[in-house]
C-alpha cells in the first residue's frame, strides 16, 4: 500500500502492539474522501447505478436494488459494502472501474462501521469549514518542549507512531538549503564563512532575516507565482507572436520583495483597475498588477472565431481563479454540475459573469472577409525615460536608412529571380532551400516563396552585406517603449448566460454575478464586479484561501504539501497529513497581516525544516515520501534554479534586475522552425543579458527555453500549480553539452585557477568545491578531483584540467539537489 494513501495507518501497521489503539475514525476527513475517490463515479450525486448512493447516509444504509443494506452501523459482517470490496467474483467485486481498494482503506471502512458508522447530519467537507487556531500539543512528561508550534504538531504525529526524527542538518548544509529556498541561489563563500564563525543561538535567525531582505528573494518566489499566473511573453497557439507583459513580472518581484500582504497582493491582481482612487496607492502599479488575468493565452490565428476565443479566455480566468484562491478544480462545472464537489453549473456561470465584462483582446484586420485577427491589448503605456527615447530615435533612423538601401537594391536583383529558380541545381543549395525548389512553383505557399526569395537576394554580395549589417543592428535594438497588458472592462455590461455543455453557441438562461453557495456568503448584488469578487476571495470568512496558500508555500520548501493535491482541496483530493498544523499555519498567516515572509521565517527556523535529509533504509520503508516529516527535505532544484546555481558558482551570473525579457544562448534554429508568428529569429542577448537569472528569460509558449523544458518547466499555456520532477537521460546531456553549461564549466575552471593562484592543488580544489556546494569535500571526494586534474593536465594543459574539474563539479547530483 502506498504511503501517500494512508500514511498513518501504514505506520501503525508497522509498529504492531507497540502503539496505542488509534483514535475514532473521522467521517469527514477520512471516510467521505475515500468514498468520493472510489465510489462516487457510479454511486454519487450525478449517477446512482443499481439505485445505490454513497453521498447520503440514508441511501447508503438502505442499499440499492439488491435489497441488501450497504452499511449496517455496528455490524461490518452484515454490511454489503465490505462484502463487495472483498469479493473475488468479477461480477460482484467493487469498485469495478479501478484497482481493488487497498487493504488499509478496507480496514478503515470496517473500523468506521464497527464504531457505529457515524455520519453527521452537518457533515461539511473539512475544507469548507473555516480554520480556527488549534491548541499546540504539549510535550510528554520529561520531554523537552519542541522549538516551535510547527515542531510540536509534527512531533505529536511522530510520537503517535513511534518514529524518531532525524538529527539536525550540519550548519553548512542547512545554510545552502535555506539560501536556495529563500533566494534561489547558493550562499557565497563570504556568507558561508560568516555563518560558520557565528556560534550564537541567533545565528540562524540572522541568516534567515538577511535572506528575506535580499532582492533575490522576490526573484526566487516570483517563479511559482508566474507558473500560477501562466505568465509568458507570447500569445500561444500557432501564431505565437511576442507581446509585452514583462512589467507585470517585475511588479510581482517587487511586491514579493516588499512583502505586500497576500490579501492586497491578490486584490490588486484581480481588480486593481476597479479600485477607487483612495485605495490604489500608486495608480500605475495597481493597473500593471492586473496583468495576472491578461496572461491568458490568446488565439489570433486566421479563421479563429473571435467570440469563441473570448469565451475560452473567460473560462481560463474562472478556472485559474478557482485553482489559485480556492484550490478547487472547477472546470467540470463549466458543462454540468460538479460530480464530486458541491459546485453547480450555475455557481460556475455566476463566477463567469465577473470576468465576462473584460475588453476583447483581438479585432479583425481589414478587410474582415480575410478572417485574420490582430492583437489589440488593451495595453497601458508606461512613461519612458528621456535617454531611452533618444536611443530609440537614433536606432529607428539608422534602421530606416538601411531598409531604404535594401529596398532600392531589391527590384534590380529580383529581375533575375525567375530565371534562377528554373536553372539552379538543388544539389548546390542548402537542404531547406532545395526542398522548396522541388515543389512546383504554382504550388508553393507564401512561407516558402518568401524563404526562397530571401535566399536568392542573399546571393548578391552587396545585398548580403546590407542584410548582415541590418542583423547586427537589430541586435542593438533598444527596448520598446514600455507598455503592458492590463484588465479593462467594457463600458456597456455584457449579459451572461449559462452555456449548455459549455458551448458558446448554445446559451441558456441569463444569470448574474455571484459566488458558490457552499462557501461563505457574498454581499454583492446584481451590479457586483471583479473587485467585489476579489474582496470575497480574501475574506477571513473564506475557509479555503489561507489553507490553499500556505499549503503551496509549504510544498515549495518540502516538495509536498500538507495536502498533497495542491490544486484540489475537494472531496477527491488527498486529506491533509497534519490537519491541525495546516489550520494553525492558515490562521497564523491571517493573524500576521497575510505576510509571506513572516510565515517563511517561522517554517525555515523550525526544527522540522532544519533536520538532516539523509534517510535510513528502515525509515524509507516506513515513510518513503516523508509524509510524516521525520527528516529534512531533499529535492532536485527546479529548472531556473539549476541554471542560476551553475552561473553563480562560475561567477557569470548577472545581478541586474527587471526589464524586457532576455535571450540567453540556446541551440540554433528552434524559433525559426516554428510556423507563423512575428520575429521568429532568436538573437542571443549581448553582454551580461546573456547571463541574467532565469526568471528574466523570454518565455515563448510554443518554444520555451529548451533546458528549462528538459527540467520540467511548463509551457505556461495554463495555470500550473506544481511542477513535476522527472529524471531523464536528457537532463544529463543538457548539463554536459548545453552551451550555457559548457561556458559555465569553463568559467568555473578559470575562477578556481585565478582565485587560488599559488596555493597547493588540494586547497584550490577545495575552493571550487565550496563554490559549488557550500561545504568542504571529504577525503574521497578530494582524492577523486586531484586524480582527475592530474590526468587531464598530463594529457593536455592546466586550462583543460580546470575545465574538466569544473564540468565534473557542475554535473554532481548534489549540485542540482537541495538536501
Amino acid at each position: 500500500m502506498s504511503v501517500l494513501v494512508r500514511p498513518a495507518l501504514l505506520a501503525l501497521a508497522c509498529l504492531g502492539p507497540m502503539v496505542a489503539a488509534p483514535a475514532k475514525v473521522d467521517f469527514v476527513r477520512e471516510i467521505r474522501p475515500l468514498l468520493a475517490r472510489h465510489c462516487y463515479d457510479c454511486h454519487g450525486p450525478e449517477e446512482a447505478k443499481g439505485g445505490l448512493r454513497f453521498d447520503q447516509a440514508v441511501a447508503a444504509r438502505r442499499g440499492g436494488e439488491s435489497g441488501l443494506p450497504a452499511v449496517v452501523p455496528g455490524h461490518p459482517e452484515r454490511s454489503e459494502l465490505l462484502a463487495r470490496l472483498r469479493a473475488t467474483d468479477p461480477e460482484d467485486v467493487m469498485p469495478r472501474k479501478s484497482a481493488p481498494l487497498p487493504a488499509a482503506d478496507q480496514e478503515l471502512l470496517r473500523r468506521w462501521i464497527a464504531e457505529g458508522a457515524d455520519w453527521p447530519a452537518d457533515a461539511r467537507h473539512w475544507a469548507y469549514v473555516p480554520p480556527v487556531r488549534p491548541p499546540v500539543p504539549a510535550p510528554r512528561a520529561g520531554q523537552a518542549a519542541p522549538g516551535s508550534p510547527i515542531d510540536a504538531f509534527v512531533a505529536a504525529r511522530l510520537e503517535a507512531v513511534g518514529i524518531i526524527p532525524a538529527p539536525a542538518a550540519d550548519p553548512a548544509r542547512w545554510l545552502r538549503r535555506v539560501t536556495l529556498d529563500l533566494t534561489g541561489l547558493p550562499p557565497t563563500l563570504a556568507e558561508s564563512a560568516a555563518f560558520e564563525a557565528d556560534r550564537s543561538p541567533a545565528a540562524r535567525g540572522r541568516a534567515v532575516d538577511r535572506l528575506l531582505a535580499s532582492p533575490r528573494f522576490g526573484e526566487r518566489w516570483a517563479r511559482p507565482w508566474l507558473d500560477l499566473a501562466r505568465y509568458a511573453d507570447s500569445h500561444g497557439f500557432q501564431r505565437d507572436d511576442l507581446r509585452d507583459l514583462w512589467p507585470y513580472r517585475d511588479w510581482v518581484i517587487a511586491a514579493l520583495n516588499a512583502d505586500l500582504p497576500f490579501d492586497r497582493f491578490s486584490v490588486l491582481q484581480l481588480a486593481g483597475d476597479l479600485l477607487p482612487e483612495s485605495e490604489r496607492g500608486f495608480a500605475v502599479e495597481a493597473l500593471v498588477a492586473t496583468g495576472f488575468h491578461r496572461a491568458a493565452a490568446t488565439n489570433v490565428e486566421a479563421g479563429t472565431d473571435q467570440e469563441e476565443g473570448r469565451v475560452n479566455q473567460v473560462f481560463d480566468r474562472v478556472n485559474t481563479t478557482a485553482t489559485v484562491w480556492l484550490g478547487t478544480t472547477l472546470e467540470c462545472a463549466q458543462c454540468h454540475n460538479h460530480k464530486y464537489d458541491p459546485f453547480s453549473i450555475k455557481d460556475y456561470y455566476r463566477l463567469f459573469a465577473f470576468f465576462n465584462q473584460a475588453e476583447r483582446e483581438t479585432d479583425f484586420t481589414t478587410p474582415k472577409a480575410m478572417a485574420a485577427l490582430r492583437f489589440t491589448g488593451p495595453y497601458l503605456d508606461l512613461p519612458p525615460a528621456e535617454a531611452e527615447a533618444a536611443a530609440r530615435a537614433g536606432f529607428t533612423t539608422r534602421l530606416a536608412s538601411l531598409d531604404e538601401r535594401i529596398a532600392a537594391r531589391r527590384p534590380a536583383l529580383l529581375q533575375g529571380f525567375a530565371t534562377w529558380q528554373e536553372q539552379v541545381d538543388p544539389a548546390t543549395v542548402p537542404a531547406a532551400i532545395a526542398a522548396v525548389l522541388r515543389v512546383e512553383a504554382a504550388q508553393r505557399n507564401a512561407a516558402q516563396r518568401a524563404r526562397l526569395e530571401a535566399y536568392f537576394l542573399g546571393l548578391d554580395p552587396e545585398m548580403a552585406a546590407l542584410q548582415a549589417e541590418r542583423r547586427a543592428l537589430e541586435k542593438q535594438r533598444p527596448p520598446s517603449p514600455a507598455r503592458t497588458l492590463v484588465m479593462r472592462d467594457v463600458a456597456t455590461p455584457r449579459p451572461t448566460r449559462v452555456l449548455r455543455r459549455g458551448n458558446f453557441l448554445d446559451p441558456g438562461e441569463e444569470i448574474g454575478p455571484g459566488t458558490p453557495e457552499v462557501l461563505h456568503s457574498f454581499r454583492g448584488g446584481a451590479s457586483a464586479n471583479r473587485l467585489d469578487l476579489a474582496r470575497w476571495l480574501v475574506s477571513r470568512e473564506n475557509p479555503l484561501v489561507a489553507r490553499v496558500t500556505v499549503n503551496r508555500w509549504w510544498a515549495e520548501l518540502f516538495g509536498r504539501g500538507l495536502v498533497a493535491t495542491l490544486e484540489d482541496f475537494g472531496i477527491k483530493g488527498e486529506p491533509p497529513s497534519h490537519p491541525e498544523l495546516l489550520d494553525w499555519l492558515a490562521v497564523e498567516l491571517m493573524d500576521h497581516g497575510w505576510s509571506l515572509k513572516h510565515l517563511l521565517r517561522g517554517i525555515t527556523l523550525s526544527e522540522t525544516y532544519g533536520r538532516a535529509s539523509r534517510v535510513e533504509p528502515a525509515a524509507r520503508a516506513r515513510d518513503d515520501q516523508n509524509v510524516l516529516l521525520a527528516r529534512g527535505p531533499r529535492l532536485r532544484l527546479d529548472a531556473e534554479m539549476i541554471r542560476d546555481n551553475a552561473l553563480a558558482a562560475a561567477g557569470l551570473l548577472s545581478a541586474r534586475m527587471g526589464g524586457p525579457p532576455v535571450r540567453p544562448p540556446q541551440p540554433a534554429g528552434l524559433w525559426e522552425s516554428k510556423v507563423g508568428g512575428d520575429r521568429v529569429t532568436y538573437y542571443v542577448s549581448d553582454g551580461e543579458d546573456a547571463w541574467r537569472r532565469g526568471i528574466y528569460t523570454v518565455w515563448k509558449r510554443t518554444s520555451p527555453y529548451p533546458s528549462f523544458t528538459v527540467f520540467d518547466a511548463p509551457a505556461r499555456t495554463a495555470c500550473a500549480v506544481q511542477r513535476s520532477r522527472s529524471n531523464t537521460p536528457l537532463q544529463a546531456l543538457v548539463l554536459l553539452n548545453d552551451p550555457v553549461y559548457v561556458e559555465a564549466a569553463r568559467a568555473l575552471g578559470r575562477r578556481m585557477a585565478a582565485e587560488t593562484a599559488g596555493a597547493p592543488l588540494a586547497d584550490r580544489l577545495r575552493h571550487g568545491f565550496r563554490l559549488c556546494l557550500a561545504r568542504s569535500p571529504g577525503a574521497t571526494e578530494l582524492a577523486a578531483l586531484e586524480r582527475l586534474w592530474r590526468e587531464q593536465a598530463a594529457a593536455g594543459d592546466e586550462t583543460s584540467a580546470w575545465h574538466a574539474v569544473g564540468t565534473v563539479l557542475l554535473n554532481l547530483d548534489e549540485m542540482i539537489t537541495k538536501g
Side-chain angles (χ1 to χ4, degrees), residues 507-728:
E509 65 175 291
E510 187 168 340
I511 196 166
T515 57
E517 293 180 354
V518 71
L519 298 177
H520 56 298
S521 62
F522 178 68
R523 298 176 181 85
S527 60
N529 59 23
R530 279 183 285 113
L531 180 57
D532 299 299
L533 173 65
R535 288 171 169 161
W536 176 86
L537 284 169
V538 296
S539 164
R540 282 191 72 112
E541 299 174 44
N542 185 345
L544 288 163
V545 63
R547 284 180 175 132
V548 169
T549 302
V550 299
N551 190 61
R552 281 198 303 263
W553 294 343
W554 185 276
E556 278 296 312
L557 299 176
F558 287 90
R560 183 186 190 278
L562 297 170
V563 174
T565 48
L566 306 189
E567 75 291 349
D568 189 2
F569 273 52
I571 291 174
K572 288 200 76 171
E574 288 288 333
S577 59
H578 298 73
E580 293 80 12
L581 174 56
L582 178 64
D583 283 1
W584 188 91
L585 289 169
V587 177
E588 181 76 0
L589 173 66
M590 294 186 287
D591 283 353
H592 287 81
W594 297 83
S595 168
L596 164 62
K597 290 188 177 182
H598 170 79
L599 208 74
L600 291 181
R601 188 181 197 278
I603 296 173
T604 54
L605 290 176
S606 68
E607 294 171 356
T608 301
Y609 175 84
R611 289 181 181 132
S613 61
R614 182 181 294 276
V615 55
E616 301 299 331
R620 185 185 299 277
R622 296 280 299 277
D623 183 9
D624 63 335
Q625 300 296 317
N626 197 27
V627 173
L628 298 181
L629 302 167
R631 56 187 181 273
R634 179 177 173 81
L635 310 165
R636 197 209 72 205
L637 304 179
D638 63 31
E640 294 90 334
M641 208 179 292
I642 290 172
R643 179 179 175 276
D644 292 349
N645 203 28
L647 294 180
L652 292 175
L653 187 66
S654 166
R656 182 180 169 196
M657 296 180 68
V662 296
R663 303 182 184 185
Q666 71 172 23
L670 294 180
W671 280 24
E672 289 79 357
S673 67
K674 298 294 179 183
V675 177
D678 65 351
R679 294 192 192 175
V680 295
T681 300
Y682 187 95
Y683 296 110
V684 175
S685 296
D686 293 324
E688 67 173 319
D689 278 351
W691 312 112
R692 300 272 301 281
R693 289 197 70 169
I695 194 77
Y696 301 113
T697 297
V698 64
W699 207 285
K700 189 171 173 67
R701 283 179 162 127
T702 57
S703 185
Y705 191 59
S707 74
F708 289 176
T709 302
V710 170
F711 283 101
D712 306 307
R716 288 186 177 160
T717 54
C719 174
V721 179
Q722 188 173 31
R723 296 184 180 183
S724 60
R725 283 190 171 89
S726 64
N727 188 353
T728 72

Side-chain angles (χ1 to χ4, degrees), residues 363-392:
D363 200 357
F364 286 102
T365 57
T366 303
K368 183 175 178 179
M370 295 176 63
L373 288 174
R374 62 187 178 90
F375 187 73
T376 57
Y379 278 111
L380 171 70
D381 291 324
L382 301 176
E386 289 185 16
E388 292 177 358
R392 278 194 298 274

Side-chain angles (χ1 to χ4, degrees), residues 3 71 113 139 260 267 287 312 453 455 486 545 549 557 645 660 670 684 686 714 720 740:
V3 174
V71 174
I113 295 173
L260 189 67
V267 169
L287 298 176
N312 284 338
E453 183 181 294
Y455 177 78
V486 295
V545 63
T549 302
L557 299 176
N645 203 28
L670 294 180
V684 175
D686 293 324
V740 169

